[in-house]
């Protein structure tokens, strides 16, 4: 374990990713830990949390054990989106009042949720010690699930970068808006140049049709190929669907409320594709854990 001084700074950077995987496997022989997928965006307002909730629900309906970690620590709203009123949240874990396993609540379709807090500014500036504690506690839960989805905040704050590079896979959500495309590129650039992340999945939300989604993917891939040394896997799109907005107002995922709508069918297809895909583990086993560099 890395050495940590009294100020919360990590001193030793010698812990390897392969040591982390060995530790996780040791706790439950014969069972693989969950795939940890960070779902993120450069710009807010792209429907990322709705994507996470519906994708998680669809994965559960397909027979997977799914945990969603609401990692928008200061403005978490996944519980509100799902009509849940958890008694405890991540702030109680950080304060030492609860364990991570004790704050998990059940959502629709037996989906499990790790709720964040809302309106607590201190959680947006976690120390290295606090980040490490969350990381270790989350690792201890991985054997209980098939897939863990991390719903990050938007942008390029240290918390956003931390949760992205702590995951095995990164999925970037973007909309056809130019500002969303630009910010998605900026996020991938930082993760690539500073933290050596080289593979991303791309999901286009709120597309009018498949052609528009393909064009967004083409634009991003073209710029990334020219200026970044990264691989972008176009994962698919979710169309504009008024039923999604209706579900938000009713605090229900559209996949549960209206399973035969365009968006719901797309979510089912995306869940099927994700469950059947090979894990996108882009980081080298021999590289020190990147999250140790993020303060």
């Amino acid at each position: 374990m890395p050495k940590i001084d009294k100020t919360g700074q990590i001193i030793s950077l010698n812990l390897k990713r392969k040591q982390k995987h060995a530790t996780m496997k040791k706790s439950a022989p014969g069972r693989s830990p969950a795939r940890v997928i960070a779902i993120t965006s450069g710009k807010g307002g792209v429907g990322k949390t709705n994507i996470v909730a519906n994708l998680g629900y669809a994965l559960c309906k397909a027979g997977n054990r799914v945990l969603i970690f609401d990692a928008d620590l200061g403005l978490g709203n996944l519980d509100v989106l799902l009509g849940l009123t958890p008694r405890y949240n991540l702030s109680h874990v950080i304060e030492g009042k609860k364990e991570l396993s004790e704050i998990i609540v059940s959502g629709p379709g037996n989906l499990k949720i790790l709720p964040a807090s809302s309106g607590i500014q201190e959680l947006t500036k976690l120390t290295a010690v606090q980040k490490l504690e969350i990381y270790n506690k989350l690792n201890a839960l991985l054997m209980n699930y098939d897939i863990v989805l991390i719903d990050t905040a938007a942008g390029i704050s240290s918390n956003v970068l931390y949760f992205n590079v702590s995951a095995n896979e990164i999925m970037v959500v973007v909309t056809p808006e130019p500002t969303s495309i630009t910010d998605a590129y900026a996020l991938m650039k930082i993760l690539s140049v500073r933290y050596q992340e080289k593979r991303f999945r791309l999901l286009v939300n709120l597309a009018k049709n498949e052609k528009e989604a393909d064009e967004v993917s083409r634009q991003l891939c073209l710029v990334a190929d020219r200026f970044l040394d990264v691989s972008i896997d176009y994962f698919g799109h979710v169309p504009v669907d008024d039923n999604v907005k209706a579900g938000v107002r009713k605090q229900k995922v559209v996949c549960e409320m209206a399973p035969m709508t365009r968006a719901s069918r797309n979510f089912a297809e995306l869940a099927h594709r994700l469950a059947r895909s090979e894990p996108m583990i882009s980081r080298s086993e021999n590289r020190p854990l990147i999250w140790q560099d993020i303060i």
Side-chain angles (χ1 to χ4, degrees):
M1 180 175 291
K3 297 178 181 179
I4 303 173
D5 65 18
K6 294 180 180 180
T7 66
Q9 303 299 307
I10 296 177
I11 300 171
S12 173
L13 301 181
N14 295 321
L15 191 61
K16 307 295 184 185
R17 179 165 295 277
K18 60 183 179 180
Q19 293 174 319
K20 180 194 76 171
H21 287 307
T23 300
M24 290 190 297
K25 291 178 181 179
K26 187 176 180 181
S27 62
R31 177 182 291 180
S32 298
R35 291 173 64 177
V36 181
I37 305 171
I39 300 183
T40 191
S41 66
K43 181 181 181 296
V46 299
K48 173 177 51 59
T49 297
N50 221 332
I51 294 284
V52 175
N54 280 281
L55 189 57
Y57 178 87
L59 284 165
C60 278
K61 295 298 287 183
N64 299 282
R65 299 169 301 167
V66 181
L67 172 70
I68 297 180
F69 176 20
D70 188 350
D72 191 346
L73 303 185
L75 293 171
N77 58 10
L78 179 63
D79 53 334
V80 177
L81 185 69
L82 297 175
L84 305 174
T85 53
R87 184 175 179 182
Y88 303 106
N89 56 53
L90 192 63
S91 67
H92 298 94
V93 176
I94 293 174
E95 292 169 2
K97 296 178 181 179
K98 291 291 177 180
E99 291 296 322
L100 208 59
S101 59
E102 295 178 307
I103 70 169
I104 295 175
V105 294
S106 294
N110 203 33
L111 184 62
K112 302 300 180 183
I113 311 295
L114 269 174
S117 58
S118 184
I120 302 181
Q121 188 177 16
E122 291 76 13
L123 292 187
T124 65
K125 300 178 181 180
L126 297 180
T127 67
V129 175
Q130 291 170 325
K131 291 177 183 178
L132 182 60
E133 181 182 8
I134 294 173
Y135 178 87
N136 287 335
K137 288 179 182 295
L138 185 60
N139 267 345
L141 297 176
L142 294 187
M143 294 299 174
N144 300 326
Y145 300 95
D146 300 311
I147 297 174
V148 173
L149 302 178
I150 300 180
D151 181 17
T152 79
I156 54 175
S157 71
S158 63
N159 280 350
V160 173
L161 299 175
Y162 167 76
F163 286 116
N164 273 302
V165 300
S166 294
N168 301 124
E169 310 173 49
I170 300 173
M171 182 182 295
V172 180
V173 178
V174 65
T175 68
E177 296 179 7
T179 51
S180 176
I181 297 171
T182 300
D183 289 353
Y185 172 80
L187 174 62
M188 288 188 284
K189 179 180 179 180
I190 291 176
L191 289 169
S192 169
V193 174
R194 187 174 177 185
Y195 302 113
Q196 292 75 57
E197 293 294 343
K198 298 302 180 184
R199 298 187 65 189
F200 301 91
R201 282 198 171 95
L202 181 69
L203 179 61
V204 180
N205 191 29
L206 302 177
K208 294 179 182 177
N209 48 51
E210 188 173 349
K211 182 179 179 180
E212 183 178 55
D214 289 343
E215 178 60 20
V216 172
S217 172
R218 189 192 68 80
Q219 290 179 32
L220 265 174
C221 288
L222 186 65
V223 177
D225 286 344
R226 184 174 180 182
F227 298 107
L228 299 178
D229 179 25
V230 301
S231 171
I232 298 177
D233 174 21
Y234 175 44
F235 188 63
H237 78 284
V238 178
V240 175
D241 188 335
D242 290 340
N243 290 285
V244 175
K245 294 181 180 179
V248 171
R249 290 192 293 269
K250 295 180 179 179
Q251 295 179 290
K252 289 182 177 293
V253 290
V254 69
C255 290
E256 178 187 32
M257 184 190 74
M260 297 309 295
T261 62
R262 290 177 61 205
S264 296
R265 292 197 301 270
N266 272 52
F267 279 120
E269 292 173 5
L270 292 171
H272 179 76
R273 189 179 308 164
L274 184 62
R276 285 183 169 270
S277 67
E278 290 295 321
M280 184 180 284
I281 301 175
S282 59
R283 294 179 290 271
S284 168
E285 279 191 352
N286 297 319
R287 185 163 61 85
L289 289 178
I290 284 298
W291 50 262
Q292 294 170 342
D293 298 330
I294 300 176
I295 304 301

